[in-house]
Amino acid sequence: MRAVSLAIAGVSAFCFGFSGPMAKILGMAGLTPLEAVWVRMAGAGVLLLLVLAVFRPRALRIPRDRLPFFAAYSVIAVAAVQGLFFVAITRLPVGVALLLEYTSPVLVVLWVRFVRRVRLPRSAYLGALVAVAGLAIVVQVWEGLRLDALGLLLGLLAAACCAGYFLMSDSFGDDVDTLGLIGWGMLGSAVVLLPVSRPWQIDWAAFTRTAEVSGHTVPVAAAGFWMIVVATVVAYTTGVTAVRRLSAAVGATVASVEVLAGALIAWVLLGEHLGAAQITGGAIVLAGALFAQSATTRIAAAHHAPEAPQAVRV
């Protein structure tokens, strides 16, 4: 069962890894990062909700007492994570912004320990710290040590909201359908991002063009489709499923493999070669994920033990 859960988490990280390369192709066609984010969220939300309306209409039902949760999920777990990160990279090097956002596993384990009051195995803490250290090497954070104060604040807020994504994905009950939550969350985030993304200014003709990528001609529409379907719908669906099976603390750490997946995909698709430091950092990230996943059995045992304290989920 744990192997299946880890495989689902791995699929999610791999699919999320396409986000950057596909967004870069859209950028080559003339879209700004925030415009690409809006296309991603709106496209994924509309697509998923239409599919559910045809094949699983009950999933679209939102319990009245869950409306605040759905709204918070849209704003915090989706819109804020995306929006804050892309604003942060206008003031910070991308590597630094990525590292700040992916300190979220540390925030998650601290929240679980001190707010939910769940005792975690040491491997959960160690895995989170090792993964963050590996990420620092992958993104070569030492190349952007000059930090803008506002950019630093935005990056930390993005990390907090990213932690919120993992915690909220682990906290809802059977009265909420996972796919329905993701679909409404995507569409809600597109609404929230309207003022900053300004989709009415998007050059929609860009999707009829092609982009030259590593000597190959790629249709921009195909890159947009892949970003919506694979890097968003499939990535979020498998990601939330993995978090619910592994726990927020472990799922957040394993999800950090996304940065490594993105670097590898960019290497293959965009010709952005990885250096020795990035390969070393990637190995450290994987080691951190392995440390964290070794905690899953003990976490499950603690939840089922008679003397185990009951977690207050937030």
Side-chain angles (χ1 to χ4, degrees), residues 166-206:
F166 291 108
L167 292 165
M168 295 175 77
S169 296
D170 187 37
S171 68
F172 59 87
D174 294 336
D175 59 330
V176 173
D177 186 274
T178 298
L179 294 178
L181 174 64
I182 296 171
W184 287 120
M186 296 295 167
L187 196 61
S189 71
V191 173
V192 172
L193 291 171
L194 277 172
V196 292
S197 296
R198 300 177 183 177
W200 52 86
Q201 295 182 354
I202 293 177
D203 177 15
W204 294 102

Side-chain angles (χ1 to χ4, degrees), residues 3-164:
V4 173
S5 301
L6 290 171
I8 295 172
V11 170
S12 175
F14 181 74
C15 291
F16 270 122
F18 280 100
S19 303
M22 294 303 105
K24 190 165 186 175
I25 293 174
L26 265 60
M28 294 175 183
L31 270 70
T32 67
L34 283 173
E35 288 174 343
V37 167
W38 191 88
V39 169
R40 179 188 182 192
M41 296 296 104
V46 171
L47 174 63
L48 186 52
L49 291 178
L50 285 175
V51 171
L52 290 176
V54 175
F55 297 102
R56 195 171 168 178
R58 286 189 300 175
L60 300 179
R61 178 179 174 273
I62 303 176
R64 185 173 298 179
D65 60 342
R66 285 294 199 169
L67 280 172
F69 178 79
F70 273 72
Y73 194 89
S74 297
V75 174
I76 299 172
V78 186
V81 174
Q82 299 291 331
L84 287 169
F85 173 75
F86 279 102
V87 175
I89 62 176
T90 65
R91 308 185 70 94
L92 293 174
V94 174
V96 175
L98 271 173
L99 180 62
L100 289 172
E101 181 176 349
Y102 277 91
T103 57
S104 56
V106 176
L107 299 179
V108 170
V109 295
L110 291 175
W111 183 277
V112 171
R113 175 64 185 90
F114 295 106
V115 178
R116 291 184 177 175
R117 299 185 183 280
V118 175
R119 289 189 176 276
L120 298 172
R122 290 182 180 179
S123 54
Y125 298 99
L126 182 59
L129 291 173
V130 170
V132 170
L135 288 172
I137 299 174
V138 171
V139 302
Q140 300 184 52
V141 67
W142 53 84
E143 293 186 356
L145 292 179
R146 291 181 59 190
L147 298 182
D148 175 270
L150 180 57
L152 178 62
L153 176 61
L154 292 172
L156 292 173
L157 287 173
C161 292
C162 189

